[in-house]
Amino acid sequence: MTLYAILFAVIFVESGVLVGFWLPGDTVLFAAGLLAADPAANVSIVVIAIGVPVAATLGAIVGYITGHRLGRPYLERRHTTALARTENFYRRFGAATLVAARFVPWARTFAPVLAGAVSMPRHRFGVAVVTGALVWGTGLVLLGYAASSVPGLRDAALWIGIVVIVVSVLAGVAGELLRRRVARLRGAEGTGGTSAG
């Protein structure tokens, strides 16, 4: 039961809660499928295959609400041009973006937030999010489950998972440090420009 709770919590947070962008969802899902294939683990592939897309969908809904309530007012005050461009993009490619973003680390966290910020129609958002959650969530779990029959893969799964998790965390930290550095440089340029004026 604890395993299910941790798995679903990770997927929920990564799917739309802004602090979850660094979580290694792909690896966790694949490893969960491998684990479910081991009879000694007593893990149900059915529970995981159904629970993961539900958790992913609920997380994306939280992201949408966050973007609508907090992101939109911010963009309206400070980035009206960017808001208009993003609205146009989501109007044309929003559904495809939400499905594709499921397979891109960090993007699957922020795409639902942006969808809410640009007020993407809820019915289109819902269909896209559920589709993406099923294809990505259930798909990776079943892929891991099927891969358990590949000789040597199950034995190496633990080490592969550890390496990918470490790389994902380090990449997330590096990305955040880079974002802060760019923000500081832009702030310094803006201050310099104001002083010069």
Side-chain angles (χ1 to χ4, degrees), residues 1-11 28:
M1 199 65 179
T2 303
L3 173 68
Y4 297 135
I6 293 172
L7 172 62
F8 298 153
V10 166
I11 299 306
V28 169

Side-chain angles (χ1 to χ4, degrees), residues 6-60:
I6 293 172
L7 172 62
F8 298 153
V10 166
I11 299 306
F12 172 83
V13 171
E14 194 196 24
S15 295
V17 181
L18 291 175
V19 296
F21 68 92
W22 56 274
L23 292 171
D26 299 330
T27 308
V28 169
L29 292 178
F30 188 80
L34 283 172
L35 188 62
D38 184 357
N42 196 27
V43 174
S44 171
I45 186 66
V46 175
V47 172
I48 294 177
I50 294 174
V52 163
V54 170
T57 299
L58 292 175

Side-chain angles (χ1 to χ4, degrees), residues 119-159:
S119 298
M120 181 179 179
R122 291 179 183 176
H123 65 280
R124 289 186 62 222
F125 173 81
V127 171
V129 161
V130 170
T131 301
L134 286 168
V135 173
W136 172 72
T138 304
L140 281 178
V141 168
L142 294 178
L143 185 63
Y145 189 83
S148 66
S149 60
V150 177
L153 184 57
R154 183 183 296 178
D155 297 333
L158 175 62
W159 294 109

